[in-house]
Amino acid sequence: MNSERYNKVFNVVIVSGMAAALTLATVFKWGGDARENALLLVSVFGSLMGAMSGVMSANGKILTFFFGLLDVSIYGVMCLMNWMTGGSGLGTAILHILYFVPMQFIGFFQWRKMGAGAVDAVRPRRLTGRRMLLLAALFLVGVAVSYLLIANFDRSETETLIKMTVVLDVIPLMCNIIGQLLMSTAYVEQWIFWIGVNVFSILMWTKALVDGQSSFAGVYIVKYCFYLTNCIHGLRLWMRMSKKN
């Protein structure tokens, strides 16, 4: 199987596999009150839009921002609701609503300037060593500052020295901020931060599921498992595309 055909098959597997998994998760969780069922359906729809956005992004297609706008809007509201019931997610909710939503529009116009169109893919580029060190320092400082700010509002572990719900919130928060910035400017290294987002988001929603804090946590565990697989694939594709440029 050649590389182009493999990529098409992979994309179909990611989207159809996630749709099937979310359907099973919905059936398993169905049966609550009308409000919980409605939230479940909305979270499933948003997750599918996120899967489409991830596939488009991995292939450098500008439609990623259309599907991404639907995904980040829904996910931001869901994280806010999870935090309001005593779980983690405040930082992620603020990030999605106030940062990711406008960045979808910024990213769209940036990609247009860098060659992306209805058919043509964006032209990826690589960070220099100096910029990599700067981003690493920014990440560490951002995690520390975000933890101190969000820990003051966290209500889940008031007696503990290190609040794990906050840790599982602020690390993907900073990965999201840097990942989106690098994505909007078409840098290959964005995928390293997206992988971090997915790993820690899986941990965050797993904790919410185990603690019984959310009726739709299982949906997002499935979502981020598929996202993680797609990110690894996206890193491979963008490395190859950047070499061509």
Side-chain angles (χ1 to χ4, degrees), residues 91-92 139 142-151 163-177 204:
T92 306
F139 174 78
V143 167
V145 172
S146 299
Y147 178 86
L148 293 175
L149 291 174
I150 295 176
K163 299 182 178 182
M164 287 308 300
T165 54
V166 180
V167 172
L168 294 177
D169 197 6
V170 298
I171 292 180
L173 184 151
M174 287 307 303
C175 285
N176 269 308
I177 290 175
M204 184 185 83

Side-chain angles (χ1 to χ4, degrees), residues 13-75:
V13 169
I14 285 291
V15 176
S16 60
M18 186 168 178
L22 289 174
T23 299
L24 291 175
T26 302
V27 172
F28 180 76
K29 280 291 185 179
W30 194 263
D33 58 33
R35 176 180 176 277
E36 288 185 347
N37 289 337
L39 291 174
L40 183 61
L41 291 176
V42 171
S43 64
V44 167
F45 174 76
S47 296
L48 287 174
M49 294 301 98
M52 291 297 300
S53 176
V55 167
M56 292 292 175
S57 178
N59 289 272
K61 303 298 183 182
I62 202 167
L63 276 175
T64 182
F65 297 106
F66 169 75
F67 295 109
L69 179 61
L70 296 173
D71 175 38
V72 299
S73 300
I74 292 172
Y75 188 61

Side-chain angles (χ1 to χ4, degrees), residues 47-115:
S47 296
L48 287 174
M49 294 301 98
M52 291 297 300
S53 176
V55 167
M56 292 292 175
S57 178
N59 289 272
K61 303 298 183 182
I62 202 167
L63 276 175
T64 182
F65 297 106
F66 169 75
F67 295 109
L69 179 61
L70 296 173
D71 175 38
V72 299
S73 300
I74 292 172
Y75 188 61
V77 173
M78 292 299 181
C79 285
L80 182 61
M81 295 177 66
N82 185 61
W83 172 76
M84 292 175 66
T85 58
S88 58
L90 176 60
T92 306
I94 294 173
L95 171 73
H96 279 68
I97 296 170
L98 299 183
Y99 178 69
F100 268 171
V101 170
M103 283 299 287
Q104 302 308 304
F105 298 98
I106 294 173
F108 176 85
F109 291 110
Q110 287 294 319
W111 278 33
R112 285 288 299 272
K113 293 178 181 179
M114 302 178 70

